[in-house]
Amino acid sequence: MTTTITTNNGANNNSTDADQWWDDDAPWMFEDEEHITNDPGPWLFYATMGVAIVLVGIVLPISVYFYHERKKYQRGILVPTHDDDDDDEEVSQDHKAVVLENPQDDVEAFAAKIVVPSSSSSVEAFHDEEKEPVVVESKPNNPLPISFSEILACDHTSRRIVSYTIPFTCSSVSEAICQSLILGMLGYYVGTEEMTAYALLNLLFEVAQEFLLGPFEALPTVAANAVGAKNCKLAGQYLQLSFFLYILLGLPLFFGFFVGTESLLLWLNWASPEVAHHAQSLVRIIMIGKALEAFSQGWAELLNVYDHEVFVTVIQIFNSIVTISSMGVLILVDELTLERTGYVFIITNGFQLFLYIIVAKACQWLPSEFYQGLLLSNCSLCNNRAIRNLLRVCIPLSVSAVLESMEWTLLGVFAASMGTKEIAAWAIIGNIWEILNSLTYGIGDAAEIIVARHLGQGRGAMAKLSAYKSMFLAMMGSLGFTIIFILLIPSIPRFFTPNFILQDLIASCLPLLCMGYLLMTFGEISWFIVGATSRYDLGTYVHVVGSWGLTIPLGAFYTYYLKWDLQGLTSAVVIGYTLIGCVLSYCMFTTDWKARAMKANVRNSNGGNSTRNGNGNGMIMPYDEDDDWDDLDEKVRNAAAYLGYTKKLWNNDKEPPICDLDWKELTAEEQLAATVMGYDESKWNNETDNDDDDDDDDDD
């Protein structure tokens, strides 16, 4: 088939030809450039996939297995097997109560010993019996064990993760698709140079924004810990402190972009003088929209923590639709330019921030204590604990994000050494990478909030179960996402650009990118979970070593020594990120969830909300106040039934007669059951006294 192209030298980019709407020169732009790279061939794809599969499928499982075996020996878990003849005691299957020598050592270990019949009639008969404590030998056990059947079970935890994941994923996907549509519109209706300027400017701003957004991205961890510990005022101070840090650090960076973007692009050899000039004219407009976007993200993170993620998703999707519709209107009236795209960005992000603030206040979604912490009268700069907690999370988070962005920037320098067409294609590939990761980010954000909240409440077992379920859901989702992208590979490059040469460059990297994404999902989710345990410093260290110790050197070797094209850079990214993911997954699988839960609860408690006994050992409430009977962990529900609770009593906030007794009036096994529910003597007696006072007030 022969295609006839009419060439108009010096024509305006907004061509109005009846048969084509893009610039006449656009499909053949870069045609005269010299080809200085080599095609590595299909063997690079197979070699990269082989390395990634070995890391994920062999090295990671073996490492985790040997770690747990070593821990078993250290804790004395491998004990001699007793003969049946030596078992002198039979434990009744109707009910078991165990008195341990030191019940503070492991609440959940002796919680597993309390078994209550499931039927209501058996429960009533059980409470009518004389409850004799049965003393058995306490055998060490694996702390907080999770079975594969628990991970696969469609229980309350799974439904809660999915309820968070759906809006978060929709939000991430809509944002990524919106950016892709903007690139496509600029490429087809404004010009390839303008599209390249917009893509390169986003690449530069990503480095600065990742540094500045660290405090906001830390909110799902620190604010969720504070909310879990019932300290809403501290959550408000975290948001206030995030605003302060963004303004303080952002002003000098934005000033640098305002005066030096064009010079920077030319110095990096990323763009021609025309493209650099387009970028300089846009940056003075779009940086205001970037600031509004950051403030919107801060409010969105807080609303997500307070379970308003559906509203946040609706607003973000609405924002994307309005942005694309506005650009569509400008196209219809033939008024779309790069500068007008920046103004659209400012208006839509400003309106989004306005909706977050006004709707949250009008609907009273955030407690009054939160606004007390947010107001300037309670300056967060005077709260040393808030500063320490936020900086402990946001500094490594920001450093890691900046280094990751700088990694992509340096890879862009490698691509620029190949030619201007390669750097333009690499910028588009980065946008496609964001679309692929949007599902992972959605599940990761959900996992981060849920795990952090459980840790703030001191519920290590539930945090661990939520983490593992999130990992499983992410792997299943990424598999489906990868299949869809593989089927769409022939159409994806044509969506972004009419340039045939760019289309070929992009298409050559997509198979490797899609398959690599499937294998890297494990590590991406682990990053969010490790961060939820307030170990972003560990994640930062792993990212620095993996990115700058493997990805960058490997990319330089492929580019400058072997002179491979963009497939070499893509292979370096896949191998480096897979190694980082394996290390982070190892850190996640070897987490001491009980210790992390204790630290998170104590760190974010507010003057005694973290219940502690006289020996100084933390006794954390292992359930949320809003949990229904069916939502309770099985061990907690059994302990509650032992004390006389029923489903009807629990769901209606009623208490059994035993709650009127003092702690010392309880039997040993009843004290044990109360301990499983998170009570000690001080906590039990205080709540009993408070209930009596409430009853007296009602009588008056």
Side-chain angles (χ1 to χ4, degrees), residues 199-209 257 261 264-265 268 270 409:
L200 293 178
L201 193 57
N202 275 339
L203 198 60
L204 280 179
F205 255 108
E206 184 178 356
V207 179
Q209 283 289 85
F257 279 120
T261 298
L264 180 60
L265 289 175
L268 291 173
W270 277 15
T409 304

Side-chain angles (χ1 to χ4, degrees), residues 62 111 149 167 270 302 334 341 465 539 577 616:
I62 291 178
S149 60
W270 277 15
L302 257 297
D334 199 22
T341 302
L465 180 61
Y577 273 69

Side-chain angles (χ1 to χ4, degrees), residues 78-127:
L78 297 181
V79 297
T81 304
H82 295 281
D83 296 334
D84 293 339
D85 296 338
D86 296 334
D87 295 335
D88 298 330
E89 295 179 298
E90 290 290 337
V91 181
S92 171
Q93 296 302 315
D94 290 333
H95 70 278
K96 291 180 280 187
V98 181
V99 178
L100 300 183
E101 294 180 359
N102 188 1
Q104 311 301 337
D105 288 344
D106 192 346
V107 171
E108 297 183 7
F110 62 77
K113 307 296 183 180
I114 301 179
V115 179
V116 177
S118 57
S119 64
S120 59
S121 60
S122 299
V123 171
E124 294 175 359
F126 165 71
H127 286 296

Side-chain angles (χ1 to χ4, degrees), residues 131-207:
K131 298 188 279 285
E132 293 285 344
V134 181
V135 182
V136 299
E137 179 183 2
S138 176
K139 296 181 180 180
N141 197 2
N142 183 27
L144 312 184
I146 300 293
S147 65
F148 193 67
S149 60
E150 289 180 284
I151 298 175
L152 294 179
C154 183
D155 53 12
H156 172 71
T157 302
S158 298
R159 292 190 294 271
R160 189 178 187 186
I161 294 173
V162 171
S163 68
Y164 274 88
T165 297
I166 291 176
F168 287 162
T169 302
C170 291
S171 176
S172 300
V173 171
S174 66
E175 183 178 355
I177 292 177
C178 178
Q179 290 299 319
S180 301
L181 288 173
I182 291 174
L183 281 177
M185 288 179 173
L186 292 176
Y188 276 96
Y189 296 100
V190 180
T192 303
E193 287 185 351
E194 286 80 355
M195 182 271 294
T196 304
Y198 182 85
L200 293 178
L201 193 57
N202 275 339
L203 198 60
L204 280 179
F205 255 108
E206 184 178 356
V207 179

Side-chain angles (χ1 to χ4, degrees), residues 568-582:
L569 291 182
T570 308
S571 173
V573 169
V574 171
I575 293 176
Y577 273 69
T578 302
L579 178 62
I580 292 171
C582 286

Side-chain angles (χ1 to χ4, degrees), residues 467-531:
Y468 284 23
K469 283 179 175 289
S470 301
M471 185 77 71
F472 176 76
L473 291 174
M475 291 304 300
M476 294 298 100
S478 64
L479 178 61
F481 225 47
T482 301
I483 293 175
I484 294 174
F485 259 78
I486 290 176
L487 296 176
L488 294 176
I489 282 178
S491 303
I492 291 176
R494 294 198 298 269
F495 172 81
F496 286 93
T497 175
N499 188 276
F500 302 141
I501 297 175
L502 291 182
Q503 290 176 8
D504 291 340
L505 287 173
I506 296 169
S508 65
C509 299
L510 289 184
L512 190 59
L513 202 66
C514 292
M515 295 305 297
Y517 161 73
L518 178 62
L519 295 173
M520 289 184 286
T521 301
F522 229 65
E524 290 290 336
I525 293 296
S526 297
W527 161 258
F528 287 97
I529 296 173
V530 170

Side-chain angles (χ1 to χ4, degrees), residues 143 146 323 386 463 682:
I146 300 293
T323 301
S682 175

